Amino acid sequence: MALAAGGAGRSLVSRRPPVAESPAAAALGLLRIPRRGLRGWGKGGIAAAMEGSRTYMNDSAEDAVGGGEGALRSKVDCVNGSGLRRMSNVGNSSNILWHKCSVEKADREQLLRQKGCVIWVTGLSGSGKSTLACALARGLHARGKLTYILDGDNVRHGLNSDLSFKAEDRAENIRRMGEVAKLFADAGVICIASLISPYRKDRELCRSLLKEGEFIEVFMDVPLSICESRDPKGLYKLARAGKIRGFTGIDDPYEPPLSCEIVLEQKDGSCASPDRLAGRVISYLEEKGYLSPA
Ligand SMILES: Nc1ncnc2c1ncn2[C@@H]1O[C@H](COP(=O)(O)OS(=O)(=O)O)[C@@H](OP(=O)(O)O)[C@H]1O
Ligand SMILES: Nc1ncnc2c1ncn2[C@@H]1O[C@H](COP(=O)(O)OP(=O)(O)O)[C@@H](O)[C@H]1O
């Protein structure tokens, strides 16, 4: 339960032992719970401190105030900011509170004996993204690693079914995929996101959601002529006939990465098998330590 300062904050103060404010904590908008105990702080002063610092108390802070040795450690945690947190305004969401849990990414990674990350596969339609994603999932599964594929086509069947292929909808499609992929990585899963993601800035935005090294961009570097000759869904044919407008590579741009972690090149007469391509990505993961526990 998160209690807001003001009305709810005041009622908390009147029910609970009081909390002190230090200048540094005030500057950070945090409240400090003193080691020596919680007696002797006037209700009015506490309420003023809470209002002044726009600080809020969550469950763990309330538990910490409950007393005992264990609680003292929790109180120190509160000082460090794990118990007391600031309300945020994010986008159109106001007064929201990040709730932290003591079971964290590293714990899940220990359990799974791997590191959560995002393998972002980008390329033209027909470049082999989905095929690579499957080969990769198979290869990693065989090694006992937990993966999940977020395929552009598939996610457009549900979560992203409200989005078209115009530029702003593609951007939103990619942003949502990036956010979902980030959640999977946080779960400790090796998330394979496979979508055209044609615009550089949208891919960069997704990269920026993750920690350094956790976003592994794989470019399916396959010439349009090969993709078009494959045309497994007949979409290029329809696009050339003007029956699909804004088709990537035909009348909508694809911006290849300027620098990315892995380039899987396929040229006429030198197409490595999907398993071989997947093997290159697996070797990269091994080298970077993603297949071992945190
Ligand atoms: N206009 C247009 N341009 C490109 N692709 C189109 C279009 N219309 C439908 N399709 C089909 O949708 C699949 C691409 O979806 P994505 O979510 O990966 O696209 S994007 O990242 O938002 O650009 C893509 O799948 P893949 O062939 O697997 O890439 C196509 O089958
Ligand atoms: N490495 C490869 N070598 C030869 N053909 C491939 C390879 N990878 C994929 N393909 C073929 O190319 C076509 C498009 O592959 P797909 O994975 O659906 O591409 P995308 O998801 O990028 O649209 C399919 O017919 C698939 O069998």
Side-chain angles (χ1 to χ4, degrees):
M1 176 183 63
L3 292 172
R10 263 192 206 100
S11 72
L12 171 73
V13 169
S14 62
R15 282 189 288 111
R16 299 280 176 186
V19 179
E21 185 192 29
S22 76
L28 290 167
L30 296 173
L31 292 178
R32 186 172 67 82
I33 299 171
R35 279 171 183 271
R36 65 179 166 74
L38 297 161
R39 279 183 292 278
W41 293 78
K43 284 181 196 170
I46 302 308
M50 288 186 80
E51 290 208 310
S53 61
R54 236 179 101 68
T55 300
Y56 303 80
M57 192 167 275
N58 64 15
D59 288 345
S60 56
E62 283 194 80
D63 292 341
V65 175
E69 258 317 296
L72 181 61
R73 200 164 32 248
S74 298
K75 286 170 205 163
V76 175
D77 288 344
C78 292
V79 176
N80 291 339
S82 63
L84 290 173
R85 297 190 160 258
R86 254 192 153 182
M87 287 291 188
S88 307
N89 297 328
V90 181
N92 291 330
S93 297
S94 51
N95 298 315
I96 53 170
L97 181 71
W98 185 272
H99 198 284
K100 212 173 159 183
C101 176
S102 57
V103 181
E104 296 189 328
K105 184 179 187 232
D107 302 298
R108 295 184 281 273
E109 291 178 330
Q110 284 289 341
L111 200 68
L112 294 168
R113 305 191 60 74
Q114 63 185 50
K115 289 194 190 82
C117 61
V118 174
I119 300 169
W120 191 276
V121 187
T122 174
L124 291 168
S125 175
S127 59
K129 301 182 297 297
S130 307
T131 307
L132 173 78
C134 265
L136 199 46
R138 268 197 314 271
L140 289 167
H141 188 82
R143 287 165 193 244
K145 303 300 168 194
L146 185 63
T147 61
Y148 193 80
I149 297 176
L150 292 175
D151 188 279
D153 248 336
N154 294 359
V155 180
R156 280 176 176 277
H157 278 77
L159 176 66
N160 291 345
S161 59
D162 58 324
L163 302 174
S164 73
F165 285 91
K166 63 184 185 210
E168 57 266 44
D169 279 6
R170 288 192 203 241
E172 176 58 11
N173 176 43
I174 293 155
R175 187 192 71 80
R176 288 184 201 170
M177 291 284 263
E179 290 286 357
V180 175
K182 178 186 170 180
L183 294 177
F184 273 101
D186 190 50
V189 173
I190 298 171
C191 180
I192 306 162
S194 149
L195 63 164
I196 297 179
S197 42
Y199 313 135
R200 240 173 248 137
K201 73 168 174 26
D202 297 332
R203 296 193 300 265
E204 285 313 308
L205 185 133
C206 295
R207 178 185 288 276
S208 74
L209 297 174
L210 286 127
K211 287 199 187 128
E212 180 82 33
E214 284 182 1
F215 185 91
I216 299 149
E217 191 173 354
V218 179
F219 173 38
M220 304 302 290
D221 188 6
V222 185
L224 176 66
S225 55
I226 296 186
C227 297
E228 200 169 346
S229 68
R230 289 177 177 168
D231 203 10
K233 303 170 196 161
L235 296 178
Y236 281 105
K237 209 170 176 185
L238 290 173
R240 289 287 186 199
K243 292 183 179 152
I244 299 179
R245 300 266 177 218
F247 196 80
T248 306
I250 305 298
D251 55 352
D252 211 66
Y254 178 83
E255 300 169 0
L258 296 175
S259 82
C260 65
E261 283 70 14
I262 302 171
V263 179
L264 298 179
E265 212 179 353
Q266 296 171 66
K267 291 202 171 112
D268 273 328
S270 66
C271 257
S273 72
D275 283 342
R276 212 182 165 87
L277 295 175
R280 280 192 49 201
V281 180
I282 293 174
S283 299
Y284 180 93
L285 294 176
E286 234 160 20
E287 211 176 281
K288 299 287 176 187
Y290 280 97
L291 305 185
S292 326

